[in-house]
Amino acid sequence: MKAKADKTKPREQGHDAEKGKFTDTEAAGKRPFMWAAIGTAALAIALSALYVLPMPSRLGSVGFPTDGAYIHLTYAHNLAENGTYAYDRSAVATSGSTSPAYVFLIAALHLLTLGEVKSALLIGALSFAASGVFLLLIAAKLFETKSWWVALPTVLFLCMPRMAGTSAAGMGTMLYTACSLAAVYFFLVRRTGAAVVLIAVALWVRPDALVLASAFLLHSLYHRRIHVSGAMARDRQVSAGWALLPWAGGILVAIGYVVFNLVLNGTVFPNSLAARVAAAQAAGDQPFLRALLAYYESPQSAVLFPFTVLGLILAVVQVVKKRPCPTLFAVLALLGTIVAYGLLLPMLPDDGRYLTPTYPFFLLIAIWAMRETFALLGLILPIAKAERWAFGLLVVACGAALAAGLAVWERTRADYYASVRYVLDRHVTGAQWVRSYTPPGSKVATVLPGTFGYYGNRPLVDLTGTVSPQVTPAVGFPAKLEAVLSAENADYLATFRERLEAVNLNPVFTTNPRIPEVLEIFRIERHKIHLVPKAASVLNTRAAYFMSRKLYGDALAEIRRSLVIDPNSARTHTLAGICLLETGDTAQAKTFLERALEIQEDYAPAMVPLGDIHASRKEYTTALRLLENAMRLNPDSPTVRTSYNRTYEAYMRDSLKASGFRFMKFRER
């Protein structure tokens, strides 16, 4: 009996020591955790579906909230249809997508007849599910328990309002998040080969993977150098593994990534990164720190932010004291990504989308700090069951964060739909106009390469430089971009006035002018079109704002500064003329308006106030000629029609009065 008891002892502990396999006892203990993983995946897919499924009824069609999403779709479509990694059939191959692996996946699913949009949504939902599952596994490993509360980071991640929207945004962000979290998990369980492969795959999705790889390496080297004992001693073995052979495989994959980009456009990273850096440099100083803090000021993040800061401090203390720091990789990944973007790309567009993959690390650091703090309180407080009270505080803090996130979940989704509608109403509408009303083969220059590439079906010149590497050196320099338009023989220009203001030509298409950010499409005439420097354009925008509030003196001051920067804009001279007219300086107003028409002879906004000036001087022939031309150019403008009718009535009254006066004189004789 004794021998039998000894033989069965390993099975009672949950592991068969002789066979090296999990027994029924241990498997039974794993079942709840398996169901938790399944529930996590199901919840993630359901939350993503809550964004996607209502779109057709609310917006009329499924779409994405950024123009960049359509860049990946266009590359994937051309890769699947034509077998080339090019943006259109007539163009050479370029690496304009930041996420080549994402493009390859969409192209593969396209071949299965899913279509690019559905493929992108499917990849996003599955990546969201995988991210949640791997975060659950990471928490269990990091906190060395499989108690139910290790699901807190995952629940907070899934219910973070912007995460489900990110999964449905058509970008490779969530795919990168899934790859990076998978790499973290295999790193923590000492599966070095799998972790290296996943980092290499993540690099093909986003260059940020280099930061994560550096975090892993530094984490390993740190724990290799300090003297540890017990469970942490095992990290010394994995550190040596990470420092030797497995990195060779990762380096080879990284070299493949570099070669891919060098062959396509002669740079180490995708050209899209170079284009963003060029745009950031041209924009000058950006409020990066303010945008960074705003990203973490969302209701859920605001609750957790103090604990994350505390976690960072605790990590620094542990490193200084040369103690084991289990969250060091997360701290390095979070801070490294922020510093990388702050130095190379000091801007956070799309509500901080670039920082989304760091949010799981933000959560892990915060909850680890909570656990450490509340556990310490449990030891210090002289009350019964202090540890339970400490654990309860942890749950309450996470519950408050969860409640804060859920409270704004619907509002966040509404904002997401507003962004999608914005793209559909402006970007997609303009691209469809180009496809329908421009001759086949017309070359279109645009600041919206995504939607115009996907829906426009015309050769493009990308003025952001993302898919047109030859344009990147000119980004942010309007004079150089004008030269690009000429060198590329562009036939049309599609742009937003707020992004790249084009003047001295009348647009052939505009979106609703009553909605901010009007898209304008111009038929390019080589020696007429003029691109306004950004500084002058900003001053004009401020002047228009002052004019809308009838602050004409302030507006005129801004306009004069704009004219110093750029004296060749018909629009700027017209704004000056209108301001002067409103302040009573008719003579000066007439000079500016006439100069506007010298620059652009068919500029209706200058014709109307100039016609009013001539009418006030009873120069009706000149006034009516100007207003008739304005009506011909803008037949639907109520302002033009009102000025014309008023001038014509005044002309007729004066004509009748003059005729009547002569008639009476004749009778008197």
Side-chain angles (χ1 to χ4, degrees):
M1 291 296 292
K2 184 177 180 180
K4 186 174 182 179
D6 292 338
K7 185 175 181 180
T8 59
K9 189 173 181 180
R11 294 188 64 84
E12 292 173 0
Q13 294 175 343
H15 189 271
D16 190 328
E18 296 179 1
K19 297 182 179 180
K21 298 179 181 178
F22 290 109
T23 65
D24 294 339
T25 304
E26 186 169 317
K30 286 194 167 190
R31 288 194 188 104
F33 196 77
M34 180 187 70
W35 284 110
I38 293 173
T40 295
L43 177 60
I45 292 173
L47 291 173
S48 185
L50 285 176
Y51 267 74
V52 175
L53 296 181
M55 267 198 275
S57 59
R58 290 196 179 192
L59 306 177
S61 64
V62 176
F64 299 114
T66 62
D67 181 75
Y70 295 93
I71 292 178
H72 306 301
L73 303 192
T74 304
Y75 270 110
H77 178 83
N78 290 329
L79 181 61
E81 293 291 328
N82 308 318
T84 58
Y85 197 85
Y87 207 64
D88 60 67
R89 294 181 182 180
S90 61
V92 296
T94 60
S95 62
S97 169
T98 312
S99 306
Y102 183 55
V103 170
F104 299 152
L105 277 176
I106 296 175
L109 292 174
H110 172 88
L111 295 175
L112 299 177
T113 68
L114 281 182
E116 295 86 21
V117 173
K118 291 181 180 179
S119 299
L121 294 172
L122 178 62
I123 293 170
L126 295 178
S127 298
F128 191 29
S131 298
V133 170
F134 278 110
L135 184 56
L136 183 68
L137 295 170
I138 291 167
K141 181 64 180 177
L142 189 63
F143 301 130
E144 298 181 345
T145 180
K146 291 187 179 178
S147 299
W148 64 269
W149 66 267
V150 300
L152 288 175
T154 299
V155 173
L156 290 171
F157 172 74
L158 295 181
C159 295
M160 174 68 173
R162 61 166 60 100
M163 292 303 158
T166 301
S167 72
M171 302 294 287
T173 308
M174 197 54 69
L175 177 62
Y176 172 76
T177 304
C179 290
S180 61
L181 290 176
V184 169
Y185 171 70
F186 286 108
F187 171 73
L188 292 178
V189 298
R190 302 182 299 281
R191 297 288 299 276
T192 307
V196 170
V197 170
L198 285 164
I199 284 183
V201 172
L203 179 62
W204 280 81
V205 181
R206 274 176 60 161
D208 306 36
L210 292 176
V211 176
L212 184 61
S214 301
F216 285 175
L217 182 59
L218 291 173
H219 178 100
S220 297
L221 292 177
Y222 170 76
H223 287 100
R224 186 183 181 187
R225 289 181 65 87
I226 67 173
H227 297 287
V228 295
S229 60
M232 287 298 295
R234 295 192 298 269
D235 284 343
R236 300 177 67 180
Q237 299 175 359
V238 67
S239 300
W242 271 87
L244 299 176
L245 184 61
W247 279 98
I251 291 172
L252 288 176
V253 177
I255 290 174
Y257 172 79
V258 171
V259 170
F260 175 83
N261 292 310
L262 285 173
V263 170
L264 293 185
N265 57 269
T267 57
V268 173
F269 296 106
N271 188 70
S272 53
L273 180 61
R276 289 171 189 162
V277 172
Q281 292 173 346
D285 294 335
Q286 298 291 319
F288 178 79
L289 183 58
R290 186 170 60 192
L292 176 66
L293 293 176
Y295 177 79
Y296 292 114
E297 285 176 357
S298 63
Q300 185 182 72
S301 300
V303 175
L304 298 171
F305 187 77
F307 293 101
T308 300
V309 173
L310 178 60
L312 296 176
I313 295 172
L314 290 175
V316 171
V317 170
Q318 288 176 324
V319 170
V320 170
K321 292 186 175 182
K322 296 183 178 181
R323 294 177 180 174
C325 182
T327 59
L328 182 59
F329 72 90
V331 170
L332 293 171
L334 175 63
L335 296 181
T337 302
I338 291 173
V339 170
Y341 278 112
L343 294 177
L344 297 177
L345 197 64
M347 52 196 302
L348 291 174
D350 304 329
D351 298 324
R353 172 175 56 83
Y354 294 156
L355 294 180
T356 297
T358 67
Y359 197 71
F361 304 129
F362 176 88
L363 291 172
L364 290 171
I365 296 168
I367 294 176
W368 176 73
M370 285 183 194
R371 192 189 71 160
E372 295 295 305
T373 303
F374 295 147
L376 181 61
L377 289 176
L379 295 175
I380 296 174
L381 294 177
I383 57 176
K385 300 181 179 179
E387 291 186 1
R388 288 191 177 184
W389 279 100
F391 175 72
L393 289 174
L394 184 149
V395 175
V396 168
C398 290
L402 179 61
L406 293 176
V408 297
W409 203 88
E410 181 56 35
R411 189 181 71 191
T412 304
R413 186 173 68 159
D415 292 342
Y416 171 89
Y417 286 151
S419 297
V420 175
R421 183 180 295 279
Y422 172 89
V423 172
L424 293 175
D425 289 348
R426 294 166 180 77
H427 303 196
V428 175
T429 299
Q432 290 173 336
W433 184 91
V434 164
R435 183 169 187 161
S436 300
Y437 296 103
T438 62
S442 298
K443 186 174 285 189
V444 180
T446 182
V447 295
L448 302 170
T451 44
F452 275 73
Y454 191 69
Y455 289 103
N457 196 30
R458 295 290 184 271
L460 290 185
V461 179
D462 174 19
L463 297 183
T464 69
T466 303
V467 300
S468 300
Q470 73 277 16
V471 178
T472 302
V475 171
F477 302 97
K480 293 182 179 180
L481 290 176
E482 287 182 22
V484 167
L485 295 178
S486 178
E488 297 289 334
N489 294 315
D491 300 300
Y492 290 87
L493 170 65
T495 183
F496 286 107
R497 182 176 294 169
E498 292 81 357
R499 301 189 194 180
L500 181 63
E501 184 178 1
V503 295
N504 302 346
L505 278 177
N506 292 320
V508 294
F509 170 85
T510 61
T511 53
N512 188 346
R514 289 183 291 274
I515 300 176
E517 287 211 354
V518 179
L519 176 67
E520 298 176 316
I521 301 178
F522 301 87
R523 180 73 169 88
I524 295 177
E525 297 180 35
R526 294 281 177 260
H527 301 292
K528 289 187 177 182
I529 195 163
H530 175 62
L531 301 180
V532 180
K534 184 65 176 179
S537 186
V538 169
L539 291 170
N540 289 344
T541 300
R542 291 171 58 182
Y545 169 75
F546 286 132
M547 292 171 68
S548 69
R549 299 175 64 88
K550 301 187 183 302
L551 301 173
Y552 297 108
D554 294 335
L556 190 58
E558 299 296 314
I559 293 168
R560 291 190 186 280
R561 292 171 59 195
S562 175
L563 287 171
V564 171
I565 299 171
D566 178 32
N568 300 315
S569 167
R571 177 172 179 261
T572 307
H573 282 84
T574 300
L575 292 175
I578 293 172
C579 284
L580 289 164
L581 190 59
E582 292 291 342
T583 57
D585 192 345
T586 306
Q588 275 285 90
K590 182 173 180 289
T591 300
F592 275 98
L593 293 169
E594 288 175 342
R595 175 56 184 155
L597 291 177
E598 288 176 7
I599 297 172
Q600 183 184 348
E601 60 184 12
D602 59 348
Y603 191 53
M607 294 176 180
V608 177
L610 186 58
D612 291 340
I613 291 174
H614 283 289
S616 68
R617 297 179 176 184
K618 297 188 177 182
E619 298 167 351
Y620 295 116
T621 302
T622 303
L624 289 172
R625 175 176 56 79
L626 287 167
L627 293 171
E628 285 171 357
N629 287 337
M631 283 185 63
R632 176 178 55 80
L633 292 167
N634 290 319
D636 299 326
S637 171
T639 302
V640 176
R641 187 166 295 278
T642 299
S643 288
Y644 177 82
N645 290 339
R646 183 175 60 245
T647 302
Y648 184 76
E649 289 172 3
Y651 166 70
M652 291 302 295
R653 283 197 304 271
D654 275 21
S655 297
L656 290 173
K657 184 184 292 187
S659 298
F661 177 77
R662 287 195 298 271
F663 178 74
M664 292 300 294
K665 289 289 185 181
F666 176 78
R667 294 280 300 220
E668 288 176 0
R669 290 180 183 176

